[in-house]
Amino acid sequence: MNVLVVGNGGREHALAWSLSRSEAIERVICAPGNGGTATLSKCENRAVGVEDFAGIRQIAKDEAIALVVVGPEVPLALGLADDLRAHDIKVFGPGRSGARLEASKGWAKELMAEARVPTARGAVFEDPQAAKDYIQKTPVVLKADGLAAGKGVMVASTGEMAHEAIEAIARGDFGSGNCRIVVEEFLLGQEASILALTDGQTIRPLIPAQDHKPIGESDSGQNTGGMGAYAPTPVVTPELAGRIQGEILEPTLATLQKRGIDYRGVIYAGLMISPEGDPKVLEFNCRFGDPETQPILSLLETPLEELLLACCDRRLAEMPPIQWKPGVSVCVVLVSGGYPGSYEKGKVITGIEAAEATGAVVFHGGTRRENGQLLTDGGRVLGVTAAGEDVKSAIVNAYRAVDCINFEGMYCRRDIGFRIRSL
Ligand code: AMP
Ligand code: GLY
């Protein structure tokens, strides 16, 4: 069968890579894809943007696409999955109503309250003064209600910082056209990302991952889309995984059902695990995580399309248990100098072959090919992903591959996986 992957990041390269490894897949088309998917075997890019619904539909028809996998949140929030389903095209990803889980943090908070899903205490405000008046103590967390590419969350350690953050959100600095403000208690603990597949009736988690959002080592500095991740994380013990299933994933799905939402895709729960071991939801996303998808899929044994098709066809309950390779996989993200602020593009990248010769897989995030050269084309450029028998050896293997790669201004965190060493 032929499949279509929508998106152009590291997550989409990992989805295309995983799908292309299956014997059942003849061709993987990416819209628009990147410099990595351009040369992946069985794979080809089409210059169609993620918001070009008509263009995506056209590819699906012309290429007899059996399954469309939507990577990013923006087209899901705009209703791409609804549009494709209305044209009888099979698609993995929720419709616009389900995508609100990510597209409106306020809506997600209300749903969690109804579902009795544990989350940080907080409230949603239209009026900035009311948000300021609500704050009793710091640190406190301020979030823009709408989509903000991972950048709309601020932890304020003083009242003054909190007021500045509220004003920035109210001004619309986070670009979603929605100026509602979520004020939340600050939670301490270890973070974990649970990516769960659902067909709207059954929900099954993939192996738990841990992301590293801040740009600087030891989690310092501004938040980014994600600087590295590893999976599985021992932060989520089998006992905790059982609680997450019963206290978070199942009630969330049941509440979506109660609201008449037919959700077929990924429910991504970003969790904080308290020092006492209790999980609380920090955020929901309506898609695979980036970079969590890279290490997770690098260990997946079950053919990915079988799982995704089972979600589309509401057969997830009939699927045998998901099979995983043993060991741990680590992904280190290499970014352009200046990211998450402004950065230059078009730098020549070298050393990817040498990196892959060590056994790592290099997923491209922001790259393009021009005149036979591979150039940087975004903030998060590459995700160097390597496995090992445990976290420590996977970290060593990943950095061995990282050290083969170079481009002007390249930066990466050298401490991916560091929190685990303190466990
Ligand atoms: P989010 O996009 O909501 O996951 O937030 C991005 C990052 O901000 C999370 O990965 C956490 O590191 C941090 N964060 C969000 N909400 C909270 C909270 N209530 N307490 C502490 N940290 C938080
Ligand atoms: N890695 C965080 C995200 O995908 O939202």
Side-chain angles (χ1 to χ4, degrees), residues 150 211-214 223-229 290-292 333 335 339 380:
D211 188 13
H212 299 66
K213 290 220 173 80
N223 263 340
T224 69
M227 294 297 293
D290 189 342
E292 293 93 327
V333 177
V335 304
Y339 174 84
R380 293 194 290 168

Side-chain angles (χ1 to χ4, degrees), residues 11 211 213 225-226 268 283 285 287-292 380:
R11 161 187 53 214
D211 188 13
K213 290 220 173 80
Y268 164 138
E283 65 162 344
N285 293 321
R287 46 159 179 90
F288 285 100
D290 189 342
E292 293 93 327
R380 293 194 290 168

Side-chain angles (χ1 to χ4, degrees), residues 6 50 53 56 68 70 75-85 91:
V6 175
V50 303
F53 291 9
I56 290 166
V68 180
V70 185
L76 292 169
L78 291 173
L80 175 59
D82 305 292
D83 182 87
L84 296 175
R85 285 193 186 108
V91 53

Side-chain angles (χ1 to χ4, degrees), residues 43-61:
C43 191
E44 55 198 91
N45 289 348
R46 289 296 154 80
V48 166
V50 303
E51 295 178 30
D52 179 356
F53 291 9
I56 290 166
R57 253 192 271 127
Q58 195 64 44
I59 301 174
K61 295 249 144 81

Side-chain angles (χ1 to χ4, degrees), residues 127-200:
D127 173 21
Q129 191 55 49
K132 290 180 190 172
D133 294 344
Y134 173 82
I135 296 173
Q136 299 287 331
K137 63 173 187 182
T138 54
V140 65
V141 183
L142 295 316
K143 302 184 178 185
D145 181 66
L147 294 180
K151 293 170 194 123
V153 175
M154 285 140 289
V155 179
S157 49
T158 65
E160 199 180 323
M161 282 170 71
H163 290 190
E164 276 171 25
I166 288 169
E167 276 156 27
I169 297 169
R171 266 199 311 271
D173 284 7
F174 298 97
S176 60
N178 161 355
C179 300
R180 291 208 300 168
I181 303 147
V182 180
V183 183
E184 229 176 59
E185 71 173 315
F186 175 76
L187 298 175
L188 272 174
Q190 286 263 358
E191 284 185 56
S193 305
I194 302 295
L195 280 59
L197 302 179
T198 180
D199 62 0

Side-chain angles (χ1 to χ4, degrees), residues 359-379:
V361 182
V362 180
F363 293 115
H364 296 222
T367 70
R368 68 190 151 91
R369 291 190 190 270
E370 205 175 276
N371 302 328
Q373 283 187 312
L374 185 69
L375 304 177
T376 67
D377 198 38

